[in-house]
Amino acid sequence: MERLIGPIHIKAKKGDVAERVIVAGDPARVEQVSKMLENPRVVNTNRGFIIYTGAYKGVPVSVAVHGVGHPSSMLVVEELAMLGAKVVIRFGTCGAMVKGLKIGDIVIPTAAAYYPGGAFYQYLKEAVCTATAPHFDVLKTLVEETQKAGVNYVLGPVVSSDAFYAEDPEFVKKWTSRGIVAVEMECAGLFMLGAMRNLKTGALLMVSDSLVEELGFASAEELREYVNRASKIVLEALI
Ligand code: ADE
């Protein structure tokens, strides 16, 4: 059977989505970033996958909601690619798994391990594993722009989990022993699609909590200031 021809969930036309796209799970963060664009216009609201297209320093840029987890975010990235996206940077949050990071500090993934088997298996048992990585150009630029901004950051592999609340008492021990620096929920799928669909992908993650230190869990409101600071880094890296 042939692959479905889309886009099915994003009701936009070719030309509505820029080649350079920032994606984030939280619609409020997407709206905040859209305010930094010149002439932002909404090009999709269907399914809550709100997408703004405008420009940053004259360069066309879109900002899109990808929802939470791989099923949602991969569907959105696939459809963005169908609509002409060429560079996709995830601007997300993560739970730190190394010490010394504070709320709002940055993790730039150099790779993402998929927590094997999806949510179902994550709750029950493990399946097979693979490895994924961002595009080097995007990674390099994200690092350079973060350094220029003078924000504390860590560079390293993250683990992309499908189950936020799965209770695995060995989780931190297992993943930190493999050199993983943070947990989040979408990068592995994004990086895999980068390779499969010829997209340049990357990610910049703000620390919202820590699994190895007592930081609490930062609310979207508490992250607002950090979002402003980090979105400039992502936009500069994107153009
Ligand atoms: N995103 C932000 N914090 C997270 C955590 N602790 N687990 C998974 N995804 C996250």
Side-chain angles (χ1 to χ4, degrees):
M1 219 172 71
E2 268 179 51
R3 270 186 82 231
L4 275 174
I5 306 297
I8 308 263
H9 306 81
I10 297 176
K11 304 277 186 212
K13 306 178 299 297
K14 275 220 157 148
D16 285 342
V17 170
E19 290 192 358
R20 296 155 202 257
V21 187
I22 295 172
V23 289
D26 181 358
R29 191 173 322 131
V30 165
E31 195 198 336
Q32 200 176 336
V33 177
S34 78
K35 297 211 163 92
M36 303 179 79
L37 300 183
E38 297 135 23
N39 305 317
R41 64 187 174 101
V42 175
V43 298
N44 184 66
T45 56
N46 197 49
R47 295 278 189 142
F49 295 132
I50 298 150
I51 306 176
Y52 293 87
T53 296
Y56 184 73
K57 299 192 174 169
V59 179
V61 168
S62 294
V63 199
V65 175
H66 66 38
V68 176
H70 288 109
S72 175
S73 59
M74 290 179 75
L75 170 163
V76 169
V77 172
E78 288 271 26
E79 296 195 3
L80 289 169
M82 290 171 197
L83 289 162
K86 301 273 184 251
V87 186
V88 182
I89 299 183
R90 172 167 143 68
F91 178 32
T93 56
C94 65
M97 296 217 283
V98 286
K99 291 190 175 169
L101 285 170
K102 292 192 285 305
I103 299 290
D105 282 352
I106 284 172
V107 171
I108 301 173
T110 53
Y114 178 57
Y115 195 124
F120 182 85
Y121 275 95
Q122 220 165 297
Y123 275 85
L124 300 176
K125 69 179 174 87
E126 292 207 351
V128 284
C129 192
T130 187
T132 65
H135 192 281
F136 182 70
D137 294 347
V138 179
L139 173 62
K140 181 169 174 282
T141 324
L142 282 169
V143 173
E144 285 166 358
E145 292 300 332
T146 303
Q147 286 173 344
K148 259 193 238 167
V151 181
N152 189 40
Y153 75 100
V154 158
L155 200 55
V158 300
V159 58
S160 302
S161 165
D162 278 331
F164 190 89
Y165 292 108
E167 283 162 20
D168 176 357
E170 297 297 306
F171 186 89
V172 172
K173 196 168 136 216
K174 181 162 61 187
W175 289 105
T176 54
S177 73
R178 298 170 190 172
I180 294 291
V181 300
V183 55
E184 56 83 72
M185 301 184 74
E186 291 90 9
C187 282
L190 173 65
F191 298 163
M192 187 174 80
L193 284 179
M196 290 171 65
R197 305 279 181 249
N198 200 23
L199 298 167
K200 287 187 172 187
T201 63
L204 182 139
L205 309 171
M206 290 167 303
V207 172
S208 60
D209 57 292
S210 174
L211 284 70
V212 292
E213 284 184 289
E214 289 297 328
L215 297 185
F217 204 104
S219 65
E221 204 40 55
E222 284 161 343
L223 279 178
R224 269 190 92 76
E225 285 267 306
Y226 301 116
V227 170
N228 270 339
R229 180 174 75 171
S231 53
K232 279 189 205 120
I233 299 174
V234 179
L235 282 162
E236 289 294 335
L238 189 61
I239 63 170

